[in-house]
Amino acid sequence: MAWFSKQKKVKTKESTPAAPPPPAAKGEGIWYKCDACENVVARAEYEKNWHVCPSCGQHDIMPIRRRFELVLDPGSFQELDADLNPQDPLGFSDAKRYRDRLRSTYKATGLRDAFVSGVGAIEGKPVSIGCFAFEFMGGSMGSVVGEKVARVLDRAYERRIPAIVFSSTGGARMQEGIFSLMQMAKTSAALNRFRAVRKPYVSVMLHPTTGGVAASFAWLGDVVIAEPKALIGFAGPRVIEQTIREKLPPGFQRSEFLLEHGMIDAIVHRHELRSRLGQILSLLA
């Protein structure tokens, strides 16, 4: 037997069962500590403030259902395409099998994939809308996510209504390989079809928006807006610095830097997002 061979350990009946995890500390989760200013506030106040730090205005990643509550008229959202489930076309396995990772993520989040879509209304104006769920595998774009984004645009084309997509993603989903990369072309083609109805497509970039999503439909909006201090770009700053062997300027790839260099149209605070979207739809739709 080779010296590096590993033998699988077999548990015997006499083995002592693993000790249960220690109970959570009393009061855990009641308080929120901001990563930016380190101020501590009651979590209820923080969540009521739409996951924005009351002290410094830091915008944290917000659960996807809360995003729809933030921007849409109450009771107007109708989720569609919820029956689409991701598959494992490559039989991919790394530290964990892809199908097992999908199953455990669904149990943890209650989401089938990293994108939720449907129709709703903003200030009485109907829209076809979709939003990435960063809590599902970092908002990565697989074949189901690409299909749902395309359907948001196709639905807007069929109904002659505006389309809005909120992006918050690490990019393509590596577990689906080329099937994931194909979604860049697929969604861009769907957007090109939608252009024929001459209705606005608004792309809202959240923190972070990177990779293949940034390289396709997220940058192709008629109006491109972002939340404050959002990281937006194709490759991350660290990868770029290692490639070009130069120090990047301060704030590189943050929404403020991109606005200054003409890459986006506006930075909108989360509290003002619904009214600004209503204004855009009034002017362009």
Side-chain angles (χ1 to χ4, degrees):
M1 181 181 293
W3 65 271
F4 52 82
S5 297
K6 294 183 179 180
Q7 292 183 349
K8 187 175 181 180
K9 294 182 179 180
V10 180
K11 291 185 178 180
T12 63
K13 293 182 179 179
E14 293 77 22
S15 299
T16 303
K26 187 176 182 180
E28 184 178 351
I30 295 177
W31 303 100
Y32 159 79
K33 183 178 180 181
C34 178
D35 292 333
C37 68
E38 299 188 346
N39 187 55
V40 177
V41 297
R43 181 163 294 276
E45 178 184 353
Y46 162 71
E47 292 179 351
K48 185 178 180 180
N49 202 42
W50 300 107
H51 293 256
V52 176
C53 176
S55 299
C56 68
Q58 171 75 15
H59 285 51
D60 290 337
I61 294 173
M62 187 166 60
I64 189 168
R65 302 295 178 182
R66 293 279 286 162
R67 177 70 58 179
F68 291 118
E69 292 176 14
L70 171 69
V71 299
L72 294 176
D73 296 347
S76 67
F77 180 63
Q78 178 187 358
E79 183 177 355
L80 301 171
D81 306 321
D83 56 336
L84 296 181
N85 297 316
Q87 303 299 314
D88 185 12
L90 304 179
F92 191 92
S93 179
D94 46 25
K96 189 175 183 179
R97 293 194 306 173
Y98 179 42
R99 64 187 64 183
D100 294 337
R101 197 180 297 276
L102 290 171
R103 192 177 299 112
S104 61
T105 308
Y106 167 66
K107 290 180 179 179
T109 64
L111 298 170
R112 293 292 183 183
D113 213 326
F115 194 81
V116 175
S117 59
V119 292
I122 298 177
E123 297 185 352
K125 304 173 186 66
V127 294
S128 179
I129 191 169
C131 182
F132 277 79
F134 194 81
E135 57 265 38
F136 192 103
M137 296 183 68
S140 53
M141 179 173 65
S143 54
V144 167
V145 172
E147 175 66 18
K148 284 190 172 185
V149 173
R151 290 192 183 190
V152 167
L153 299 167
D154 289 343
R155 194 173 296 118
Y157 172 83
E158 293 167 359
R159 303 189 183 193
R160 301 315 197 248
I161 58 176
I164 301 175
V165 175
F166 293 85
S167 300
S168 178
T169 170
R173 186 172 299 170
M174 58 170 286
Q175 289 88 347
E176 294 189 21
I178 190 63
F179 294 97
S180 176
L181 295 178
M182 289 169 59
Q183 307 311 310
M184 298 171 63
K186 178 179 182 177
T187 53
S188 298
L191 178 56
N192 187 61
R193 289 193 299 271
F194 171 65
R195 301 286 191 203
V197 303
R198 303 181 68 83
K199 294 292 183 179
Y201 161 54
V202 182
S203 175
V204 184
M205 294 186 174
L206 313 174
H207 174 76
T209 299
T210 58
V213 173
S216 55
F217 60 87
W219 279 119
L220 297 177
D222 298 306
V223 178
V224 180
I225 62 181
E227 288 190 337
K229 298 181 181 179
L231 176 65
I232 301 169
F234 180 61
R238 178 175 55 84
V239 175
I240 297 175
E241 283 188 338
Q242 291 176 349
T243 302
I244 66 176
R245 293 181 173 85
E246 290 185 12
K247 190 69 178 177
L248 297 173
F252 181 75
Q253 288 189 327
R254 295 291 174 173
S255 50
E256 291 76 10
F257 184 91
L258 297 175
L259 179 64
E260 182 181 349
H261 289 79
M263 296 295 292
I264 61 177
D265 297 306
I267 297 173
V268 181
H269 193 283
R270 191 171 290 170
H271 294 169
E272 303 172 358
L273 190 55
R274 183 171 180 270
S275 61
R276 184 65 67 87
L277 289 173
Q279 181 184 43
I280 291 171
L281 298 180
S282 297
L283 292 172
L284 301 181

